[in-house]
Amino acid sequence: MASATTPDDSDEPVTVLTFDLESDRYCVRADAVASVFGVSDDESIATADDPWNAGSVSVGGERVRVVDLPRAFTSSVRTTARVDEPKLLVLRVTDADDAYYGWLVDDVDVTRTIRPSDLEPTRMGRHMPHVKGRVEIDGEDAIWLDERAIHG
């Protein structure tokens, strides 16, 4: 098993889904994402005390535990600018109660294919084990997140 801060053992191409948090681009393995939904009312999520456990929503009859990534990844002293219509990435990872995890993000792009060997370390990688590294996608840097490291 590869660690969260080094490239995968294989150099087989990997399809990732890119998404934005404020002005930063991130990605996650596309096969880790079950679905993507628009969120019309995020008030209860945006005001939750803990952005890592910002409440839950029901999607297709399934409970989804929401992580408010824009707030979780920013300093507590910095105000996060909210977008009008955030998106919810519903992951295939579930918690001990079989609730899915969902990441509230600002915008979702499309899938891209990358090679794990193209990953470069980030300055934050040592302090954030859920960051696999940085990769260039379409001429822009993207931070590759490891959903299993985030949710155990």
Side-chain angles (χ1 to χ4, degrees), residues 45-61:
I45 295 167
T47 58
D49 290 337
D50 181 1
W52 290 99
N53 187 12
S56 62
V57 296
S58 180
V59 175

Side-chain angles (χ1 to χ4, degrees), residues 52-142:
W52 290 99
N53 187 12
S56 62
V57 296
S58 180
V59 175
E62 298 288 342
R63 191 167 67 86
V64 178
R65 211 173 120 195
V66 178
V67 175
D68 185 350
L69 281 188
R71 286 193 317 141
F73 283 10
T74 59
S75 164
S76 60
V77 297
R78 191 171 114 203
T79 304
T80 301
R82 301 302 286 198
V83 296
D84 289 335
E85 295 181 27
K87 305 292 187 255
L88 182 67
L89 300 180
V90 178
L91 304 173
R92 296 186 190 282
V93 178
T94 59
D95 66 12
D97 297 324
D98 287 331
Y100 290 90
Y101 285 101
W103 294 349
L104 190 69
V105 300
D106 292 341
D107 195 23
V108 176
D109 197 12
V110 295
T111 59
R112 301 282 196 267
T113 301
I114 62 173
R115 290 194 174 275
S117 62
D118 292 339
L119 275 174
E120 296 178 10
T122 64
R123 289 187 309 257
M124 68 180 115
R126 291 185 195 148
H127 306 292
M128 300 178 87
H130 54 271
V131 173
K132 285 183 155 241
R134 179 183 61 79
V135 65
E136 187 176 306
I137 299 175
D138 294 339
E140 293 183 44
D141 284 343

